[in-house]
Amino acid sequence: MSTNPVLPGFHPDPSICRVGDDYYLVTSSFEWFPGVPIFHSRDLTHWRQLGHVCHDLDLDGLKPSAGIFAPTIRHHDGVFYMITTLMETAGNFLVTATSPEGPWTEPVWFPETRGFDPSLFFDDDGRCWMHGTRERENKEYDGDTEIWLRELDLTSLKLVGDEHVIWTPHLRGAIWAEGPHIYKIGGWYYLLTSEGGTAEEHAVMVARSRTLTGPYTGNPRNPVLTHRHLGLRHPITSTGHPDLVETPDGEWWSVLLATRPYGGTDATPLEMAAVRREHGYNLGRETFLTRVTWEDEWPVFDQVTPEFTGPALPAHRWPASPACDHFHRLDPVWQFLRTPRETFWTVGDGLTLKVRPPGLTEHGNPSLVARPQAHIDFAVHTELTFTPGAGEHAGLALIQNDDFHIRLSLRHGGLELVHRAEGVDTLAGWADAAGGRVWLGFEAHGQDYQARYALAPGEWRPLGSPLDGRILSSTVAGGFIGTMIALYATSEGRESSNSARFSWFDYQAL
């Protein structure tokens, strides 16, 4: 049996392509840098991260959950194409490479387009067509969208010819018909979209046409995939934003995003309005896999389940990464918060961070590296060597955004546990500690996050009571991000020549 999600933790909006026996997948990265993580698999269920596509993006000052939205990856005639949107600032752009590891080209921008979720379709005649989502100019409500289509000249990488509007939401009054992908199968052009928003009302629609530019007819069975009718107690919700791939043996599969709510209450029917907030999506939107079959020349999606019979492909497991990272290099799993404009980190003998003015409570680029929380129950530990000056602190943080996070840090005089919600810091624990070497950790069981520390090797003790982790969920904090686990150092606006050294970082599922 295979298990979902195939990419646990913050990995939303997956897109996939196959090249021979290899599969490549990209996901959204929002304000985290480098942008667009890229993964490789040979059996669709076991994935390894190759790196990132975008290493030259201006993410300066972006608010949380802005930045890179919904990339699409395609392969044609020996070239990889990745197209996506830099929301809030710059719009849609395209990069290419002859190897998924890169190097990828500089972005080609499309200032004449507006909207988001661009995709590419390569027709049998070799012509390429760009399509995407935008709100209608004469929209009747927020989220009143349409899908547009226009040819992309592969030599000049410019849009040419007439533009075609090929789709609007399938359901009357539905919001955000988005994430469009076009496929040609058995003489039909299929258009796959999602609507209803990216939360529990998410639903997948499919339409088809004998001609690329339409008109498209919706499947009478739409939506072809949704979990909205299963209620808020179902273990997997928010299914949508799929992309299809065919195996060499003719099986069809779909990657898609979904969420795993946990930590809620056993609500009565009258209390169900509160369940969405009580449940947490601390892991964010994750990448799942489900089978697709065909009936009456329409795709039929299996319901997304925690366990399923996987593809008929030889199992290909990648070597496991060590649970403990000694920072001999900075592994691709680590990211920065917005674009680093200076090299504030060194690796080789642990991780050393310069103590710099930017903090965790602003839209800046602090001295910070982070990786996603990938399990509901987990433990994370690190060893920190740091002698803080006035106003300086460094340590371990669980970040949803600048207004919602948890910090366990060493500052002048002791260890501090801070619970930050709605932009307000609350001291949740304190322990006397001199500057020097300390050990910091969190142990999470569901929504209970217990901070731990040691002043001597192995002498762990709790700091404060278990904290309610629901502030790390987008249902409370807003946005589209999953929890990121960070190592950081800051002088909170002051200049400093100090540094903090993390000897190792250990992450384990429990």
Side-chain angles (χ1 to χ4, degrees):
M1 296 294 288
S2 298
T3 58
N4 266 320
V6 292
L7 280 178
F10 168 46
H11 297 108
D13 308 320
S15 176
I16 192 171
C17 71
R18 178 172 69 88
V19 184
D21 293 327
D22 296 283
Y23 302 85
Y24 300 98
L25 184 148
V26 292
T27 65
S28 296
S29 50
F30 297 92
E31 71 268 30
W32 292 91
F33 183 96
V36 189
I38 183 167
F39 302 87
H40 175 214
S41 177
R42 292 207 173 109
D43 61 9
L44 290 173
T45 57
H46 300 95
W47 294 87
R48 61 168 179 167
Q49 186 170 353
L50 297 178
H52 295 83
V53 173
C54 298
H55 292 264
D56 187 20
L57 291 174
D58 182 0
L59 306 181
D60 298 345
L62 285 181
K63 68 182 182 180
S65 292
I68 294 294
F69 274 44
T72 294
I73 188 169
R74 294 291 183 258
H75 183 266
H76 174 75
D77 198 21
V79 177
F80 289 90
Y81 296 79
M82 193 287 297
I83 190 167
T84 188
T85 308
L86 182 52
M87 290 291 287
E88 308 290 338
T89 56
N92 298 315
F93 70 91
L94 171 71
V95 293
T96 65
T98 55
S99 168
E101 293 93 342
W104 292 80
T105 62
E106 294 294 312
V108 175
W109 297 93
F110 299 94
E112 68 272 42
T113 64
R114 61 183 179 89
F116 54 96
D117 290 11
S119 185
L120 297 175
F121 168 69
F122 293 88
D123 210 341
D124 296 338
D125 58 7
R127 297 166 72 187
C128 179
W129 297 80
M130 180 176 171
H131 44 291
T133 295
R134 67 187 179 205
E135 284 196 291
R136 297 168 61 195
E137 287 193 2
N138 299 316
K139 65 180 183 180
E140 298 180 7
Y141 52 87
D142 288 341
D144 183 8
T145 47
E146 61 189 14
I147 308 298
W148 60 270
L149 171 76
R150 192 174 173 189
E151 186 175 358
L152 175 66
D153 181 88
L154 292 178
T155 301
S156 65
L157 294 182
K158 294 184 181 298
L159 293 172
V160 296
D162 295 332
E163 181 183 271
H164 307 268
V165 174
I166 60 173
W167 193 248
T168 56
H170 180 78
L171 296 181
R172 182 178 300 172
I175 60 172
W176 305 118
E178 58 189 5
H181 294 304
I182 294 174
Y183 315 87
K184 190 174 185 182
I185 304 165
W188 289 101
Y189 293 92
Y190 291 91
L191 172 64
L192 203 62
T193 68
S194 296
E195 62 186 50
T198 191
E200 294 88 356
E201 287 74 37
H202 218 185
V204 178
M205 309 294 176
V206 65
R208 71 186 183 191
S209 173
R210 288 295 187 183
T211 58
L212 175 61
T213 57
Y216 283 81
T217 301
N219 187 341
R221 298 178 181 177
N222 277 332
V224 291
L225 175 64
T226 186
H227 280 200
R228 63 189 180 189
H229 63 294
L230 300 176
L232 296 177
R233 294 191 184 93
H234 196 270
I236 299 173
T237 68
S238 310
T239 52
H241 207 106
D243 197 6
L244 301 182
V245 68
E246 184 182 16
T247 71
D249 292 336
E251 287 188 341
W252 285 88
W253 290 85
S254 172
V255 292
L256 68 150
L257 72 80
T259 58
R260 290 184 288 167
Y262 65 94
T265 59
D266 294 325
T268 67
L270 293 177
E271 296 169 334
M272 285 305 292
V275 168
R276 185 173 183 272
R277 183 177 177 89
E278 288 296 321
H279 279 76
Y281 301 121
N282 301 36
L283 300 173
R285 298 173 303 158
E286 306 173 277
T287 292
F288 290 71
L289 184 71
T290 197
R291 185 185 302 272
V292 177
T293 53
W294 296 85
E295 294 181 4
D296 302 323
E297 298 182 291
W298 289 108
V300 177
F301 287 72
D302 282 4
Q303 190 176 95
V304 184
T305 55
E307 293 187 336
F308 61 99
T309 301
L313 294 168
H316 190 98
R317 295 175 175 84
W318 304 105
S321 297
C324 190
D325 190 341
H326 290 272
F327 298 106
H328 299 301
R329 67 183 184 105
L330 201 60
D331 191 272
V333 73
W334 295 100
Q335 289 179 280
F336 307 106
L337 186 53
R338 305 180 185 88
T339 305
R341 296 301 180 184
E342 62 176 296
T343 303
F344 55 75
W345 68 96
T346 57
V347 294
D349 181 20
L351 168 73
T352 299
L353 298 178
K354 292 181 181 179
V355 178
R356 298 165 55 243
L360 275 59
T361 62
E362 57 195 81
H363 297 171
N365 169 240
S367 293
L368 173 153
V369 297
R371 54 176 290 168
Q373 175 186 337
H375 302 85
I376 294 172
D377 301 326
F378 73 97
V380 59
H381 299 91
T382 190
E383 178 186 329
L384 169 65
T385 302
F386 180 48
T387 302
E392 298 177 349
H393 53 104
L396 189 60
L398 307 172
I399 298 177
Q400 171 57 226
N401 57 45
D402 50 283
D403 282 338
F404 291 85
H405 59 245
I406 297 170
R407 307 191 304 267
L408 173 59
S409 57
L410 177 63
R411 63 188 314 145
H412 186 69
L415 289 167
E416 179 183 70
L417 177 64
V418 173
H419 177 278
R420 182 174 175 84
E422 298 182 339
V424 177
D425 284 353
T426 301
L427 183 64
W430 175 267
D432 292 333
R437 190 164 61 149
V438 296
W439 291 260
L440 307 175
F442 283 101
E443 185 171 326
H445 295 275
Q447 292 292 2
D448 290 336
Y449 286 72
Q450 176 65 63
R452 306 174 72 216
Y453 75 100
L455 301 180
E459 296 181 2
W460 291 97
R461 63 192 74 180
L463 183 60
S465 300
L467 296 178
D468 187 344
R470 289 177 182 84
I471 66 160
L472 302 174
S473 168
S474 60
T475 54
V476 174
F480 306 113
I481 306 296
T483 302
M484 298 289 281
I485 304 170
L487 303 174
Y488 81 95
T490 179
S491 55
E492 296 288 5
R494 301 173 177 86
E495 293 300 324
S496 175
S497 59
N498 204 356
S499 62
R501 179 177 177 272
F502 298 87
S503 299
W504 47 264
F505 175 94
D506 186 271
Y507 177 96
Q508 298 185 48
L510 299 180

